[in-house]
Amino acid sequence: MNTTMPNTGWHSTKLWLLRTLLAVFITALVGLLLLGVFSKPDLYAGYQQGSAYFASNGELLSLRLAPDQRYRLRMPLNEIAPTLQQATLLYEDRHFYQHLGLDFAAVGRAFWQGVILQGRRQGASTITMQLARLRYKLNTRTFTGKLQQLGYAFYLERHFTKDALLEAYFNYAPYGGNIESAAAASLIYFGKEASQLTLPEALVLAVIPQNPNQRSPLSQQGQQQLELARQRLAALWQQQHFTHTANSLQLSLDLPLRYFSRADIPHQAVHFINQLRQQGHYAGRFYSSLHLPLQQRFEQVLTRYLQRQQAKGLNNASALLVKRSTLQVQAWLGSADFSNNAIAGQVDGVTAARSPGSALKPFVYALALQQGLIHPQSLLTDLPRRYGSFNPENFDRQFVGPLSATNALINSRNLPAVQLQAGLQQPDFYQWLAKAGVPLDKPASHYGLALVLGGMELSMVQLVQLYATLGNGGNWQALNWQQQLPNSKLPLPQVLSPEAAYLTLAMLRQHSGLQSGVVSELIDSTPVAWKTGTSYAFRDAWAIGLTGDYVLAVWLGNFDGSSNPNLVGRTAAGPLFFELLALLPENPQTNEQLFNPTPALNIKKVALCSRSGDLPNKYCPHTEPGWFIPGVSPINVSDVHRAVPINNETGLQACFHQPGTTTLTVFEFWPSEINQAFQQAGIMLAQPPPMQQLCVDKLLLSRQPPQIRSPQPQLTYQLGKQPDQQKIALQASFDGAVTQAHWFIDNRYLGAITPGETLFWQAEAGHYQLRVVDNLGGVASISVRIRED
């Protein structure tokens, strides 16, 4: 008789399994009772993020490690590709949205497959259980660890939605090596964000967390194991998503995948990224405004330019390009080569403080326009002057004498600029710089009148912000690095009047370009308002300007402050400026908006005497159109050109003109200072012959000055409430030979009339000096007192 011995091993296994199941159920019951009363946990306590920086079109610029030296990024569930979510649930937890943290069907299936059938072991951990292990760093290889995992899973299920738990799983899941989170894995392995994954790529990321070490794409063996797992999941996917396009789906799944590695992580615009990190943007995903194709082309052009300039000792440069209207950064080149220690390439020339040289001059002119000291055609003098111990000179150590404000600016003459800075009040230039985002750390007395010549330091960022105000109606803006503009309803600081900003821009627009082949053609075809600067002792060369919706700044120099006689703004920085400018897309519409005045601007164009810059009298031989700001700009009738009657026989000045006996000859009568400047410049002006005193007396007696009829000086005028009740009629009588006259209030130009016309002045309360000047030189003035109702 055969006797069958009992299978003691199988008996022990069953007993162990029964005990395990009993412990699981007891743990689950106790966990549900106890954890339900605990407060909601922080799902991301201690979660350390790395950082990912993207360009404006979504290209990855840089991916940085978290403080614990792991690549890890947090991403909301709605930005993770649906195929990755579905594939992960299909592979890891098909009943995730139905169970409460423990999938009893999966436990039973694992028990049947692994114990009853003695087949391949199957895991029964749910997504929530895996999250509990990752979140609380549990050792689930022990029985106690498994019970903790199950308890925490119930705890998390009690306090969070399924979507929140699934999102957290993707943010914690391991993907091989020091790569964690689906967001980081997608960027490293496929060079794209998790929202852009294809189905084959999603299947790859779905199977890695189950065995991240053996299925890591970072090794050849890992890729082989990964492919086997991917094919198994692909088969399940096709079963679940069977359609009439199954063949095309199979073809896409059969295509080989290309994996990137950590060595392929890009490191673009390093100075720009470092600046963002210094501003506190060092954890998470950051979408910048940087235009990567422009950035790369700028780097290539700058490198080639410096290679051509090696013989001149020019080996380092920086450049910054921003959108004028928003100040969003488009390109940021901190140095010629970040990794080049010979030039201290790690230093960021965009944020480093340097002397701007003459690059600040436009803002002294803008303030002078705003304060009524000049208009664009005002006559300035480039003559030697001393200001105490300060004895400024020009770059070429020459003096050109009288010249227009526009020519003085675009030719960067130092003496007129210093003279204008000396005349600024409320604010002066020092005060205005502080208002415009350039506070200086020493008192105004330390800088004196050398400010306008670059006797201070500021960064390229600050300089770009200043130049942007010229194209933005005088409004100052902070630099913006974000792809999406922040929603702010706060008004922008107004640091210049719109009129002064536009007129300064128009003056810089007349700056002649560089006469060199392609660059010259570019300047002729592309409108640009630009300025150069050269610092003291040839340490810094600048070029900066506006065109369309861009502001571009270029700097050449050495970070150690060493000088080089070739570091001249126009010849060193200017050519590079225009080579970079040629890379920008042309937009005629934005150029038109930039350089054409809007109707809202309080500016007018009048004919001005070409020689003096003032309103022409009848003897001015040549005129040209010029802008002025009504009520602000200091415009007088020119008295430079005067007709002198010359006796045909004696050649002396006659008392009056007698046709046939005398000939009227026009001479230029300049103030003594300007006349001396002409002589120093080698320009000899024709002088009228002498005139007897008798003729002088008769000439004065024969002149009929104008008489002001309205307003009357003995009356006090009271303004009404309505705008029409605040207008005062200006009327005067003139000599019969007068053809035109001009009204002024406190030396501010109001307008021109012909005899018999009335000019209406929009008055304000105050005490004023009213003056009228006719084109024969006659003048009348009165004091007027006005008060409000």
Side-chain angles (χ1 to χ4, degrees):
M1 183 176 70
N2 294 329
T3 303
T4 302
M5 298 295 294
N7 190 337
T8 56
W10 170 239
H11 179 75
S12 299
T13 300
K14 289 194 292 182
L15 183 61
W16 179 86
L17 286 171
L18 289 174
R19 290 175 178 174
T20 299
L21 291 175
L22 180 61
V24 168
F25 284 116
I26 293 175
T27 302
L29 181 61
V30 174
L32 289 174
L33 292 175
L34 294 180
L35 296 178
V37 299
F38 289 166
S39 62
K40 183 176 182 178
D42 183 353
L43 201 52
Y44 291 94
Y47 187 88
Q48 296 183 345
Q49 280 200 86
S51 50
Y53 303 91
F54 299 90
S56 58
N57 292 328
E59 307 99 323
L60 180 65
L61 296 173
S62 180
L63 181 64
R64 304 289 179 94
L65 290 162
D68 61 359
Q69 299 303 299
R70 292 183 175 274
Y71 290 105
R72 187 189 299 113
L73 292 170
R74 184 173 172 180
M75 176 177 277
L77 188 64
N78 61 4
E79 294 184 25
I80 297 174
T83 51
L84 176 56
Q85 299 180 43
Q86 297 166 17
T88 300
L89 293 178
L90 178 63
Y91 194 71
E92 295 282 359
D93 193 350
R94 301 183 191 182
H95 304 292
F96 172 71
Y97 281 96
Q98 286 76 47
H99 61 65
L100 298 177
L102 177 65
D103 188 348
F104 291 97
V107 172
R109 186 169 58 252
F111 176 79
W112 179 263
Q113 176 68 24
V115 178
I116 303 299
L117 300 181
Q118 297 290 298
R120 187 173 65 87
R121 293 182 60 187
Q122 293 185 356
S125 294
T126 62
I127 290 286
T128 313
M129 293 173 65
Q130 294 180 53
L131 173 60
R133 173 175 58 83
L134 297 168
R135 163 62 180 83
Y136 295 102
K137 298 179 172 61
L138 304 176
N139 180 9
T140 57
R141 295 180 180 179
T142 66
F143 183 73
T144 302
K146 279 291 185 182
L147 293 181
Q148 287 180 318
Q149 181 184 28
L150 183 59
Y152 276 117
F154 288 137
Y155 182 33
L156 296 177
E157 288 277 354
R158 164 70 177 78
H159 290 288
F160 294 97
T161 66
K162 286 291 187 178
D163 283 351
L165 296 174
L166 182 59
E167 176 183 305
Y169 168 80
F170 282 120
N171 290 329
Y172 276 100
Y175 288 91
N178 64 339
I179 302 170
E180 297 179 5
S181 77
S186 179
L187 288 172
I188 294 174
Y189 294 144
F190 301 114
K192 62 177 67 173
E193 292 205 75
S195 60
Q196 303 169 351
L197 291 169
T198 64
L199 176 57
E201 294 165 347
L203 295 180
V204 166
L205 294 189
V207 301
I208 294 178
Q210 193 178 89
N211 198 339
N213 293 327
Q214 293 188 9
R215 297 176 183 173
S216 171
L218 300 176
S219 68
Q220 188 65 34
Q221 183 179 1
Q223 290 186 21
Q224 293 174 357
Q225 294 296 321
L226 178 59
E227 182 59 23
L228 293 176
R230 185 179 78 97
Q231 292 298 336
R232 290 194 295 270
L233 178 56
L236 289 174
W237 181 275
Q238 288 181 302
Q239 293 175 13
Q240 294 286 331
H241 300 82
F242 180 81
T243 64
H244 64 280
T245 60
N247 290 334
S248 61
L249 176 61
Q250 183 62 48
L251 287 175
S252 68
L253 294 174
D254 289 341
L255 291 174
L257 288 174
R258 179 191 176 189
Y259 298 105
F260 297 101
S261 68
R262 286 169 293 197
D264 299 313
I265 295 174
H267 298 280
Q268 303 279 359
V270 182
H271 288 103
F272 176 65
I273 302 302
N274 288 346
Q275 179 62 24
L276 295 186
R277 294 177 69 83
Q278 289 179 18
Q279 295 178 10
H281 308 296
Y282 49 78
R285 295 174 298 145
F286 303 98
Y287 297 88
S288 78
S289 59
L290 192 103
H291 193 284
L292 184 57
L294 268 179
Q295 172 79 19
Q296 293 172 332
R297 291 199 293 270
F298 268 38
E299 292 172 354
Q300 295 167 359
V301 169
L302 186 146
T303 299
R304 290 196 298 266
Y305 180 80
L306 290 178
Q307 288 173 350
R308 299 196 305 269
Q309 305 299 320
Q310 284 183 348
K312 298 180 180 179
L314 305 180
N315 52 31
N316 198 10
S318 303
L320 175 62
L321 177 71
V322 304
K323 273 200 168 184
R324 169 185 52 82
S325 57
T326 61
L327 260 73
Q328 290 174 296
V329 174
Q330 302 292 286
W332 181 302
L333 282 68
S335 70
D337 184 357
F338 182 87
S339 60
N340 188 343
N341 292 328
I343 62 171
Q346 293 79 19
V347 176
D348 189 349
V350 174
T351 58
R354 308 290 299 187
S355 168
S358 295
L360 279 182
K361 285 178 182 173
F363 305 100
V364 164
Y365 281 80
L367 285 174
L369 289 165
Q370 179 173 298
Q371 295 182 15
L373 301 182
I374 60 170
H375 59 80
Q377 295 305 111
S378 287
L379 196 67
L380 304 180
T381 54
D382 182 20
L383 297 171
R385 282 188 179 85
R386 294 188 65 89
Y387 300 87
S389 60
F390 182 45
N391 185 24
E393 293 182 338
N394 287 309
F395 179 79
D396 59 5
R397 299 184 181 276
Q398 301 295 319
F399 303 97
V400 300
L403 74 172
S404 71
T406 297
N407 285 331
L409 173 59
I410 64 179
N411 291 300
S412 202
R413 307 307 294 177
N414 288 345
L415 275 299
V418 172
Q419 185 179 6
L420 288 178
Q421 183 188 334
L424 297 177
Q425 295 179 1
Q426 299 181 351
D428 60 24
F429 196 40
Y430 179 89
Q431 295 166 336
W432 181 84
L433 285 172
K435 180 182 178 182
V438 190
L440 301 176
D441 56 359
K442 292 181 174 60
S445 58
H446 173 81
Y447 304 98
L449 295 177
L451 270 180
V452 69
L453 304 183
M456 44 80 77
E457 292 184 338
L458 79 170
S459 69
M460 181 180 287
V461 168
Q462 292 172 314
L463 197 57
V464 163
Q465 288 173 313
L466 293 182
Y467 272 80
T469 64
L470 300 179
N472 291 331
N475 291 320
W476 184 91
Q477 296 184 66
L479 206 65
N480 192 341
W481 62 267
Q482 298 179 73
Q483 182 187 42
Q484 296 293 329
L485 293 173
N487 293 324
S488 176
K489 297 182 179 180
L490 296 176
L492 296 174
Q494 186 88 35
V495 297
L496 288 172
S497 71
E499 293 77 15
Y502 173 77
L503 291 182
T504 306
L505 187 73
M507 293 164 71
L508 291 175
R509 172 69 182 89
Q510 299 179 52
H511 192 176
S512 61
L514 304 175
Q515 304 303 316
S516 59
V518 176
V519 173
S520 178
E521 294 178 6
L522 170 67
I523 299 173
D524 293 338
S525 61
T526 303
V528 55
W530 69 296
K531 183 73 179 71
T532 60
T534 305
S535 68
Y536 176 75
F538 304 100
R539 293 184 173 92
D540 307 272
W542 294 87
I544 182 169
L546 301 88
T547 183
D549 198 24
Y550 295 102
V551 183
L552 172 63
V554 168
W555 169 89
L556 279 82
N558 302 302
F559 289 141
D560 62 4
S562 57
S563 63
N564 181 339
N566 293 310
L567 285 172
V568 177
R570 185 172 180 84
T571 57
L576 177 58
F577 173 84
F578 281 101
E579 286 190 33
L580 295 178
L581 202 71
L583 302 176
L584 304 182
E586 289 191 29
N587 190 328
Q589 183 177 0
T590 56
N591 272 318
E592 183 177 348
Q593 293 171 351
L594 177 63
F595 292 113
N596 289 343
T598 64
L601 289 179
N602 178 35
I603 58 175
K604 292 184 179 180
K605 185 172 282 189
V606 296
L608 299 173
C609 186
S610 301
R611 289 282 282 173
S612 65
D614 286 329
L615 296 169
N617 62 10
K618 64 187 298 184
Y619 301 114
C620 177
H622 302 290
T623 62
E624 59 183 15
W627 291 106
F628 75 99
I629 308 174
V632 176
S633 297
I635 301 184
N636 299 304
V637 175
S638 176
D639 61 355
V640 169
H641 298 91
R642 302 176 192 173
V644 176
I646 306 298
N647 188 285
N648 295 333
E649 294 182 359
T650 66
L652 300 177
Q653 290 191 46
C655 296
F656 52 87
H657 177 48
Q658 290 180 303
T661 303
T662 62
T663 301
L664 286 177
T665 304
V666 177
F667 292 90
E668 295 183 7
F669 292 82
W670 293 94
S672 59
E673 181 186 52
I674 297 180
N675 196 48
Q676 182 181 7
F678 278 123
Q679 294 177 11
Q680 291 177 351
I683 302 174
M684 304 306 296
L685 300 176
Q687 299 296 320
M691 181 176 59
Q692 296 179 353
Q693 184 64 38
L694 177 62
C695 292
V696 174
D697 296 338
K698 288 184 178 180
L699 183 62
L700 292 175
L701 290 173
S702 64
R703 180 169 296 176
Q704 296 295 326
Q707 295 182 0
I708 296 176
R709 303 299 186 186
S710 173
Q712 298 182 24
Q714 66 271 23
L715 299 178
T716 297
Y717 287 78
Q718 185 168 304
L719 302 178
K721 300 291 187 183
Q722 302 300 320
D724 289 340
Q725 298 172 336
Q726 298 170 358
K727 292 181 179 180
I728 294 179
L730 306 183
Q731 298 174 335
S733 60
F734 303 92
D735 184 88
V738 171
T739 59
Q740 192 176 43
H742 304 272
W743 286 95
F744 301 82
I745 189 78
D746 287 343
N747 291 325
R748 291 178 296 163
Y749 183 68
L750 297 179
I753 62 167
T754 58
E757 283 187 337
T758 300
L759 181 68
F760 288 93
W761 167 40
Q762 192 75 30
E764 296 178 353
H767 187 248
Y768 301 94
Q769 191 72 21
L770 185 66
R771 181 165 55 99
V772 64
V773 182
D774 63 40
N775 64 319
L776 295 182
V779 181
S781 64
I782 61 170
S783 294
V784 180
R785 186 178 299 275
I786 299 172
R787 69 182 184 187
E788 294 180 347
D789 188 2

